[in-house]
Amino acid sequence: MRVYHATEDYLSPSDGLSVSTLNVQAPLKRLLHEIDLLVSVSEGVAHSYEAHGGYRGASIVLRNGCDFPFWRDSRASDYTPPADARPVALFQGALNSRLDYDLLLELVDSLPDWHFWFCGKTVDAPPGWNKLLARPNVRHFGSLAPAAIADLARQSSVGLIPFRQDALMRRSLPLKAYEYVACGLPVVTIPIDALGEEPHLFSFARNAREFADAMVLQATTRTDPARIEERLIAASQQSYDERFAQLKSELLARLELRRNGQSLPQGNLLVLYDDRSLHVRTIEEHLVAFRTYSRHHILFMPATGFIQGLDDAPDGIDLSLFDAVAIHYSIRLSIPDHLSKAVAASVSAYNGPKLLFIQDEYDATETARQWIERLGIDAVFTTVPDQFVDAIYPRSRFPNVEFLPTLTGYVPEDRTIDSYAKPIEERDLLIGYRGRRLPHHYGDLGQEKLNIGIEIRQLARKMGLNVDIEVDDTRRIYGNDWYRFLGSCRATLGTESGSNVFDFDGSLAKLSTEFADLPYADFSARYLSERDGKIRMNQISPKIFEAIRLRTALVLFEGEYSGVVEADRHYIPLKKDYSNFSEVVRKLEDVDYLRDLTDRAYDEIIRSGRYSYAAFVAGVDAYLDRRFDGRTKGALLLTPSLGIFANSGQAEDRGGADLSCLFMTNTVLKQRLTPDDYRHLVTNLTRLSDQYLDPNFVNMKPSLKSIILLTGLWLWTLLPKKFREYISGRVSQKVRELRAAGPSHRFVRLAVKWMPQRLRNMLRYHIR
């Protein structure tokens, strides 16, 4: 295994980085693509190496500690005042541009009766250091051996960490932090995220006045036996001996997993998905999780809509080389023609384990059930609670299908999320929420998303509370802006997700569209009274995991939430008649209560790993292991042809030009493959792809309509990529709205159907 120890954040953009730091960024980024395990000193450093360095592998955080046995044996904690008995503030470390010299100058001048002792290299010291050194109560001891530093610490009252306050330093974890603690010293430091959980060891200050006040206060604890003992115990727990033991345990566990993985067969799993849905972050994360965590070989294939060359072919494609095929939930089987016709035929003909991941099972349920039968699905990963599975998928109808529980989403893994989480005490916005109005046929659960926003906004306004609550679709927030918004709120509202009304044949959706202007209460009484609640979905929404990850408190209607979160332990319960809202507000104004609540939710939901994508994929692998039963079909022979490179993000041809490159394979070849063999294979594949080209499209004669269309498509490609992605996203949203609208969608489909075949083929071929 190749392990990299990330001790500092060299990769985040910062104007304060030295030339030497900038020079190391390019080789470090290259190195990160070659390692098996990243060991970071803080969450912030780990986030930077992933966000700015492109690291995507295994990662753990082991904080900087200290050589506790040395500092303990040096007796540095036995306070011995200097000859003049004046208090001493100690800084040990390099005297470079990271220090805030303006702060130090003001601090030194404000405490003339204190000694300020510095030891460390001055090679990169800026002019501010010379100004500081000129002060009468400042002394520099040069670069010292650890024993000499221990002698200075024995005479000191406080340890200082007076760095410049920027995001770079906030994410760091200086070595000196626990070395001071191991010397029995109280520590006054700028705010550093990794130290924020231990206020009994570290006092935080943002300016010279706060530093001076904290130093004077903490100096009184320097000779307190109880406080010294507390610091030594804490330092012993941060000992490098403990760190090495943790790292050794982690390495051995990963090596054991690797050995166990080698003893089980590694199959080839084909995952079919909708590539037009990847603008939804949770869909992308769900798909990427297979590649990241499965020990099987994963290949992905877009499989929706019209596929040029494949749907025109008389036969589908042969999937027999795969050990299993999975249909991802981004392919909506509740829509009859969402799955490609040829792919559907290929899956039906495939003889092997077929997995289906499905969501929104209350929409056009019968259409999805017919697809399960037609495709010959073996295992359905369903969000329907176990006690209701037989009501939706009767055993008499699906006797050979295994139904396995899954969630609609899991803990988001993007480490950039953490950077948007403000400390609770700095969040002025009491409640933030974005809801939406859903069609009537989604029943009471669907209405709750709207009602909770409307009612709480009115109550909050009456009480004069600072809230940002919207239920209009035009006010929704997406991408990182959503994380930024959620991380600035003390709390967010939430309801159970899904629907307790199953629209088996799609008739309720039609009625919902037809009577959209009818008040919901009237629609429910007329059409839903006998259906709503007969089957209870009551799922947890991925947004709840996002809030917990951002340490934002949850104010939720009382409910089940898939059994993941518990009232008064992980969230603040809100009665559905809002009668306890005043009590909720009191809790939201109690910072200590919120910190305990959000920390507990984070530890038990996020840090536990129970609801991680890794745990989800482990369950999928366990199913595949049972099905494979120690036997797989063999290894897929893959050779590099195109590569998407991290530095450019562009696909480049690295195989066709140099034939020798074609013999780089992902498996050991037992028989020599000659260039002639390979040319023969490639020639046949090329001929095969040529015959799939639509002759009507290839031989289409120019016409005024086609010239206008092609000119428009050409102009479209000249637009900026981000603008095209934005427009495509908006169009996709409108298409989804049309689908939900029923008759309108049928009109659009009819209009497309009336188009000439050649024009439809050309649109399908070029629109992407």
Side-chain angles (χ1 to χ4, degrees):
M1 294 184 68
R2 291 158 294 187
V3 183
Y4 179 76
H5 189 204
T7 59
E8 295 192 44
D9 180 5
Y10 291 113
L11 298 174
S12 291
S14 173
D15 296 336
L17 290 177
S18 65
V19 174
S20 60
T21 299
L22 293 172
N23 288 341
V24 83
Q25 288 186 342
L28 179 54
K29 289 179 181 179
R30 290 195 296 270
L31 174 66
L32 289 175
H33 292 287
E34 305 297 328
I35 67 170
D36 300 301
L37 178 65
L38 177 70
V39 181
S40 305
V41 299
S42 71
E43 288 284 353
V45 171
H47 151 65
S48 175
Y49 278 59
E50 295 186 359
H52 304 296
Y55 181 68
R56 294 295 180 268
S59 176
I60 62 172
V61 174
L62 288 181
R63 291 184 175 185
N64 272 337
C66 61
D67 185 1
F68 177 72
F70 167 79
W71 297 108
R72 178 196 59 205
D73 296 343
S74 72
R75 312 291 297 182
S77 61
D78 296 341
Y79 179 62
T80 305
D84 59 3
R86 292 167 61 183
V88 175
L90 174 66
F91 174 85
Q92 59 105 346
L95 299 161
N96 51 32
S97 58
R98 292 185 176 184
L99 272 71
D100 188 339
Y101 292 98
D102 291 336
L103 182 151
L104 283 169
L105 284 167
E106 185 179 349
L107 177 61
V108 166
D109 291 341
S110 68
L111 295 175
D113 55 337
W114 277 63
H115 289 299
F116 288 84
W117 289 355
F118 294 83
C119 57
K121 295 180 180 179
T122 58
V123 175
D124 298 323
W129 165 243
N130 293 325
K131 294 180 182 178
L132 184 65
L133 188 58
R135 296 299 197 269
N137 54 339
V138 173
R139 183 177 176 185
H140 180 224
F141 290 85
S143 296
L144 299 179
I149 296 175
D151 183 59
L152 293 183
R154 196 178 300 111
Q155 304 174 65
S156 299
S157 305
V158 174
L160 295 182
I161 305 180
F163 290 131
R164 290 188 297 109
Q165 296 173 62
D166 57 22
L168 194 67
M169 295 312 306
R170 185 153 192 152
R171 290 191 296 269
S172 68
L173 179 52
L175 282 167
K176 60 183 63 60
Y178 287 104
E179 291 177 347
Y180 287 148
V181 175
C183 294
L185 292 173
V187 183
V188 181
T189 174
I190 63 167
I192 293 176
D193 292 341
L195 304 179
E197 300 173 4
E198 299 183 287
H200 58 293
L201 299 177
F202 304 99
S203 298
F204 301 99
R206 293 173 175 79
N207 52 51
R209 175 63 180 274
E210 291 182 5
F211 260 89
D213 291 344
M215 288 165 58
V216 172
L217 177 64
Q218 293 301 321
T220 61
T221 69
R222 179 62 175 94
T223 57
D224 184 337
R227 295 299 301 277
I228 292 176
E229 181 67 17
E230 179 184 43
R231 291 167 190 145
L232 295 183
I233 291 174
S236 69
Q237 295 170 349
Q238 310 299 329
S239 171
Y240 283 129
D241 292 339
E242 293 291 326
R243 291 288 186 271
F244 291 144
Q246 293 174 45
L247 180 57
K248 179 180 177 181
S249 175
E250 184 73 27
L251 291 174
L252 290 176
R254 291 183 180 277
L255 289 171
E256 184 66 22
L257 285 173
R258 180 177 290 186
R259 282 194 293 269
N260 289 340
Q262 290 173 347
S263 66
L264 292 171
Q266 286 186 295
N268 301 303
L269 174 64
L270 176 64
V271 179
L272 306 175
Y273 70 103
D274 177 27
D275 55 334
R276 297 175 179 87
S277 299
L278 294 182
H279 62 282
V280 180
R281 190 189 297 262
T282 52
I283 291 179
E284 181 184 12
E285 282 194 334
H286 200 274
L287 283 164
V288 170
F290 287 98
R291 185 191 65 198
T292 303
Y293 296 112
S294 178
R295 57 180 188 75
H296 298 291
H297 302 295
I298 309 296
L299 277 81
F300 299 94
M301 188 176 89
T304 55
F306 178 85
I307 301 178
Q308 180 75 20
L310 184 58
D311 282 323
D312 291 339
D315 301 314
I317 54 177
D318 184 359
L319 302 177
S320 61
L321 73 166
F322 293 100
D323 293 288
V325 174
I327 300 176
H328 189 258
Y329 72 79
S330 55
I331 298 176
R332 300 290 300 277
L333 293 189
S334 59
I335 301 173
D337 56 354
H338 195 212
L339 181 64
S340 158
K341 177 180 65 176
V343 173
S346 303
V347 174
S348 296
Y350 171 72
N351 183 22
K354 290 178 260 193
L355 291 64
L356 170 63
F357 299 89
I358 188 169
Q359 292 190 8
D360 300 340
E361 292 160 88
Y362 35 77
D363 281 334
T365 311
E366 179 57 26
T367 303
R369 294 192 296 200
Q370 290 177 9
W371 270 116
I372 293 173
E373 292 172 319
R374 176 182 167 186
L375 297 173
I377 298 297
D378 297 287
V380 175
F381 286 77
T382 175
T383 59
V384 177
D386 185 64
Q387 64 268 34
F388 298 112
V389 167
D390 196 56
I392 304 303
Y393 306 104
R395 180 56 57 190
S396 59
R397 183 174 174 181
F398 302 98
N400 299 317
V401 181
E402 189 171 356
F403 293 91
L404 303 167
T406 191
L407 298 177
T408 58
Y410 293 86
V411 175
E413 298 201 322
D414 184 355
R415 286 188 178 272
T416 61
I417 297 176
D418 297 327
S419 63
Y420 299 113
K422 291 184 177 180
I424 289 290
E425 61 272 13
E426 296 180 12
R427 304 188 189 193
D428 297 327
L429 196 59
L430 198 67
I431 302 174
Y433 178 69
R434 289 296 182 270
R436 59 187 303 189
R437 184 184 300 275
L438 292 175
H440 291 338
H441 67 278
Y442 286 112
D444 291 346
L445 276 185
Q447 290 299 306
E448 286 179 358
K449 296 179 183 298
L450 173 71
N451 294 339
I452 193 173
I454 293 174
E455 296 296 333
I456 294 300
R457 182 170 59 186
Q458 291 177 351
L459 291 171
R461 286 175 176 172
K462 290 179 181 178
M463 299 175 67
L465 303 176
N466 184 21
V467 300
D468 186 346
I469 299 173
E470 299 290 346
V471 293
D472 192 322
D473 259 354
T474 62
R475 302 302 300 274
R476 292 178 72 82
I477 307 172
Y478 298 95
N480 290 336
D481 288 337
W482 168 249
Y483 292 147
R484 187 175 292 106
F485 171 73
L486 197 58
S488 66
C489 307
R490 287 197 178 186
T492 188
L493 305 173
T495 67
E496 290 178 303
S497 187
S499 173
N500 290 336
V501 178
F502 274 72
D503 186 9
F504 288 93
D505 57 3
S507 59
L508 287 178
K510 297 175 184 177
L511 290 170
S512 182
T513 302
E514 184 178 352
F515 297 104
D517 295 332
L518 189 69
Y520 171 73
D522 295 339
F523 182 90
S524 177
R526 188 181 303 179
Y527 299 109
L528 304 182
S529 59
E530 296 182 359
R531 299 197 191 193
D532 202 344
K534 292 293 181 65
I535 298 169
R536 293 181 58 79
M537 293 291 281
N538 299 72
Q539 303 162 10
I540 187 170
S541 165
K543 283 185 167 50
I544 290 180
F545 288 123
E546 293 171 354
I548 297 175
R549 176 77 186 271
L550 287 161
R551 298 179 188 269
T552 299
L554 292 161
V555 176
L556 308 179
F557 275 155
E558 296 172 318
E560 299 169 18
Y561 298 95
S562 305
V564 175
V565 291
E566 180 182 337
D568 293 316
R569 183 170 186 83
H570 305 126
Y571 71 90
I572 302 172
L574 174 67
K575 295 187 179 300
K576 293 189 178 182
D577 62 1
Y578 311 100
S579 58
N580 68 329
F581 182 63
S582 296
E583 179 186 351
V584 170
V585 171
R586 285 195 296 272
K587 291 179 178 178
L588 294 180
E589 292 174 341
D590 186 340
V591 172
D592 291 335
Y593 171 83
L594 288 185
R595 189 179 291 113
D596 289 343
L597 181 76
T598 55
D599 285 350
R600 183 166 52 250
Y602 187 93
D603 289 340
E604 297 181 2
I605 305 298
I606 308 297
R607 188 169 285 157
S608 69
R610 287 182 294 173
Y611 305 104
S612 66
Y613 279 107
F616 157 67
V617 175
V620 178
D621 280 359
Y623 169 79
L624 292 175
D625 291 339
R626 281 194 290 113
R627 290 302 308 269
F628 294 163
D629 194 25
R631 296 183 300 274
T632 54
K633 296 180 179 179
L636 290 178
L637 179 60
L638 303 179
T639 63
S641 178
L642 295 178
I644 298 177
F645 293 87
N647 57 350
S648 66
Q650 300 297 316
E652 299 181 24
D653 184 357
R654 294 296 175 92
D658 183 5
L659 196 59
S660 64
C661 174
L662 298 173
F663 302 107
M664 301 177 189
T665 65
N666 65 321
T667 189
V668 177
L669 296 177
K670 296 182 179 180
Q671 183 177 353
R672 177 69 62 87
L673 184 65
T674 67
D676 287 340
D677 294 333
Y678 195 88
R679 288 191 188 96
H680 177 71
L681 290 171
V682 171
T683 301
N684 286 340
L685 289 172
T686 304
R687 187 180 300 116
L688 189 64
S689 64
D690 286 342
Q691 75 180 31
Y692 280 158
L693 288 175
D694 181 2
N696 292 324
F697 172 70
V698 175
N699 300 319
M700 187 173 63
K701 296 179 181 180
S703 66
L704 180 59
K705 290 182 179 179
S706 62
I707 291 173
I708 293 173
L709 178 61
L710 289 173
T711 303
L713 291 171
W714 175 71
L715 292 173
W716 168 259
T717 62
L718 298 179
L719 296 173
K721 182 179 179 182
K722 289 187 176 180
F723 179 75
R724 281 185 282 141
E725 290 175 348
Y726 170 77
I727 294 297
S728 298
R730 297 293 295 176
V731 170
S732 297
Q733 181 180 350
K734 290 298 180 184
V735 169
R736 289 193 296 272
E737 292 173 357
L738 285 172
R739 284 174 177 164
S744 299
H745 176 47
R746 288 199 302 274
F747 174 77
V748 172
R749 288 179 57 193
L750 188 61
V752 172
K753 187 175 181 179
W754 283 346
M755 284 183 182
Q757 180 66 39
R758 291 183 301 172
L759 181 57
R760 275 191 286 158
N761 288 347
M762 186 163 56
L763 280 172
R764 288 163 173 164
Y765 187 75
H766 283 286
I767 197 66
R768 294 167 61 192

